[in-house]
Amino acid sequence: MPTVALVLVIIAAVLHAGWNVLLKTSGDPLRTAVRLQAIGTAVLVPIAVVAWVANGHPALEPAGVALALGSGVLEAIYFLCLSAAYSRGDLSLVYPLARGSAPLLSILIGIGLLGERLGLPAADGVACLVTGILLVARPWRAFRVAGREHRGAIGFALATGASIAAYSAVDRLGVRILEPWLYGAVLAVFATLILATVVAVGRRSGILATPAAPLRPTSLWRDGLAGVLSLTAYLLILFAYSQAPLAAVAPLRESGIVIAAAWGAFRLGESAGGREAVARIGAAALVVAGAVLLAVSR
């Protein structure tokens, strides 16, 4: 894996954890998701237009636009599932589950559909990932002690992981056809329009619930910051995809899991005590270790 790609992925992981903290701690995660996506798109599109003109008006290949549209649909699903998970569960539960389950599916997609191959350490990486995910989710406790909301958070987090794996595979193909910055701009427009439309229609019809008593009023500047962090993180990943294979990039994206788990356990008070906080962070670290093993097994 090229050093430049490695640095891009690590920076993106930190930024990704940051905007997820802002999303989780907002009064209305779904509304915040729409606003951060819209703000990020509003920042990116003018820059992309200038770059498009400066680079001699590169062609928008129909195949690349079609992949961007497909990824936009998957990203809208991602935000819907992630917001639902954060409305029901802790950051230190949802984030490791969502991000940790994605590499397993990404590896299967990379091998089965894209013809990529992994080395022998991949088996150890899979074992670490599965063990870490089980220790984070603790399904034996969730279904016996915790309520329906907690179980719902686990389900939506895993659905988020599936959407991550799906759009990662689509994006890996998209940046082979269009320049990453151009593909990212087209994708951002599609994702924003689809997500905003679904949320508006869903809430107007009552299918998507609106929080009756938000934890705190949503703030435009917080949503804007989240949007810029999300946008920057995703563009860095798209550039990394153009330089390294999906099976290497996707697992290393999950290094932000430990940051999110620690923030949730200590800063948001999501653990019952110091021992439980350490256990959650340790389980999250195991997920990251598994992801790294998968990445270096090439």
Side-chain angles (χ1 to χ4, degrees), residues 18-247:
W19 76 255
N20 270 261
V21 170
L22 293 173
L23 181 65
K24 167 59 183 174
T25 55
S26 68
D28 185 348
L30 187 53
R31 182 189 181 198
T32 296
V34 174
R35 291 173 67 170
L36 74 85
Q37 183 67 24
I39 292 170
T41 300
V43 172
L44 173 60
V45 169
I47 298 175
V49 170
V50 172
W52 181 71
V53 173
N55 283 273
H57 308 85
L60 285 170
E61 297 292 339
V65 175
L67 287 171
L69 174 59
S71 184
V73 173
L74 293 170
E75 285 214 25
I77 295 172
Y78 160 78
F79 276 115
L80 290 169
C81 293
L82 182 62
S83 299
Y86 280 147
S87 296
R88 292 165 172 80
D90 294 341
L91 174 70
S92 56
L93 167 72
V94 171
Y95 195 88
L97 277 181
R99 304 305 304 183
S101 59
L104 290 174
L105 296 172
S106 293
I107 292 303
L108 295 177
I109 293 173
I111 293 174
L113 298 181
L114 304 183
E116 298 175 353
R117 293 293 177 264
L118 299 177
L120 292 178
D124 293 332
V126 170
C128 288
L129 271 172
V130 172
T131 303
I133 288 172
L134 287 174
L135 290 175
V136 168
R138 292 180 294 176
W140 54 89
R141 178 179 181 275
F143 283 86
R144 178 167 52 86
V145 180
R148 182 178 301 174
E149 287 293 293
H150 188 79
R151 297 196 295 271
I154 292 176
F156 278 113
L158 294 176
T160 302
S163 65
I164 293 170
Y167 74 62
S168 294
V170 174
D171 292 343
R172 178 71 176 99
L173 296 174
V175 294
R176 293 176 177 177
I177 300 173
L178 299 177
E179 290 293 330
W181 55 268
L182 183 57
Y183 176 82
V186 176
L187 164 59
V189 172
F190 283 140
T192 300
L193 292 176
I194 294 169
L195 179 62
T197 301
V198 170
V199 172
V201 173
R203 287 199 158 170
R204 189 177 300 116
S205 63
I207 297 175
L208 298 175
T210 301
L215 297 177
R216 60 169 64 92
T218 53
S219 168
L220 185 59
W221 76 265
R222 288 181 87 257
D223 294 348
L225 176 59
V228 172
L229 292 179
S230 174
L231 166 68
T232 305
Y234 202 65
L235 285 177
L236 292 178
I237 289 299
L238 290 179
F239 277 104
Y241 280 151
S242 68
Q243 301 182 45
L246 169 69

